[in-house]
Amino acid sequence: MKLLHFLFVIGIVGFSISCNKSESPKNAEAKLLTVTGSFGVGLIDTSAKTVIIKAPENMDITQIIPQFELSKNATIYPPSGVATDFSNPVTYTITSEDNTSKYVFKVTVLKPIVKFTIYDVSNWTPANFKVPQTNALIKIYTKTENIGADKIYDTLTTDQNAQAILYGLKSNDYYFTVAKDNKSNIINGYVLIGRYNTQEEADSSPDPNAKVGGLRFLDLNGDNRLNSYDKSNFQIIWSKYDLDINNVLLIDLFISN
């Protein structure tokens, strides 16, 4: 009799636990926590509902395998961990465990399109007319009206080699400014492109005030005269710059105070 009572109690407890488990609410969150893969870590912008993957130049973007970390028991489609063609942006949908919430976002894969090298030309001498500048700040914009505002496409900082890499689409236009402390690539509204290192350079300059060691500015409209029509508050990335073996633009930039 005691044995039957014991078994009866165990059965009731087991039934109670089973009911409690089945009554546990399902998770209502549909969140994207991380995106990782052989490319490193994807850049998540939750408000814009985008993820940017910066892929090395030699990576085949038609076979990238992203791993998505989601909120508990949420699901994603297309599925995580599957080779995917990112030649164009891919739209993903996360669905919560209880099917009440969805989060839709786009993943875009970008490759290097520009390698910047920044030089400080503040203290000019004939033997040392440009000094590689580490920790210079490059602000990238996709529209001229965004310059000076908060709508920045990307912010780059030069490394120990005074270089920084821009990831983007070669079909797009990009505008930029460079600064380090009180030094800039825009001086009194003119785009700085170095200093005059020889008398020949000064003599052939569109600037009537050009002299050896003097700041050299861009003749923006190409009329061979440096005047107020050449003023700008930004530089633009032109396709005329040299290319490396991976068709990445190589651009030298200059700053001064």
Side-chain angles (χ1 to χ4, degrees), residues 208-225:
N209 300 314
K211 61 181 180 179
V212 175
L215 293 175
R216 186 174 184 176
F217 299 108
L218 179 65
D219 176 16
L220 195 60
N221 61 7
D223 64 356
N224 203 35
R225 290 182 296 174

Side-chain angles (χ1 to χ4, degrees), residues 61 74-75 85-86 101 103 143 153 156 174 196 212 217 230:
I61 65 172
T75 57
D85 184 354
F86 285 99
S101 301
Y103 178 70
K143 297 180 179 180
Y153 168 77
L156 312 175
Y174 297 94
Y196 295 102
V212 175
F217 299 108
D230 298 305

Side-chain angles (χ1 to χ4, degrees), residues 86-105:
F86 285 99
S87 299
N88 294 299
V90 176
T91 299
Y92 285 84
T93 301
I94 298 174
T95 304
S96 63
E97 182 185 20
D98 66 357
N99 290 313
T100 62
S101 301
K102 290 185 183 294
Y103 178 70
V104 180
F105 63 97

Side-chain angles (χ1 to χ4, degrees), residues 13 26 28 100 112 134 143 165 189 209-210 222 245-246:
V13 172
K26 292 184 178 181
T100 62
T134 61
K143 297 180 179 180
I165 295 176
N209 300 314
I245 59 174
N246 294 314

Side-chain angles (χ1 to χ4, degrees), residues 95-158:
T95 304
S96 63
E97 182 185 20
D98 66 357
N99 290 313
T100 62
S101 301
K102 290 185 183 294
Y103 178 70
V104 180
F105 63 97
K106 284 188 177 182
V107 178
T108 301
V109 173
L110 302 177
K111 284 198 169 186
I113 59 171
V114 177
K115 180 185 287 185
F116 295 106
T117 304
I118 312 299
Y119 296 98
D120 179 4
V121 296
S122 299
N123 301 308
W124 181 89
T125 66
N128 192 24
F129 56 89
K130 60 181 184 179
V131 177
Q133 178 64 69
T134 61
N135 296 316
L137 190 66
I138 308 171
K139 293 182 179 180
I140 308 292
Y141 304 88
T142 55
K143 297 180 179 180
T144 56
E145 57 264 33
N146 293 340
I147 296 169
D150 293 331
K151 297 180 180 179
I152 299 174
Y153 168 77
D154 203 356
T155 300
L156 312 175
T157 304
T158 53

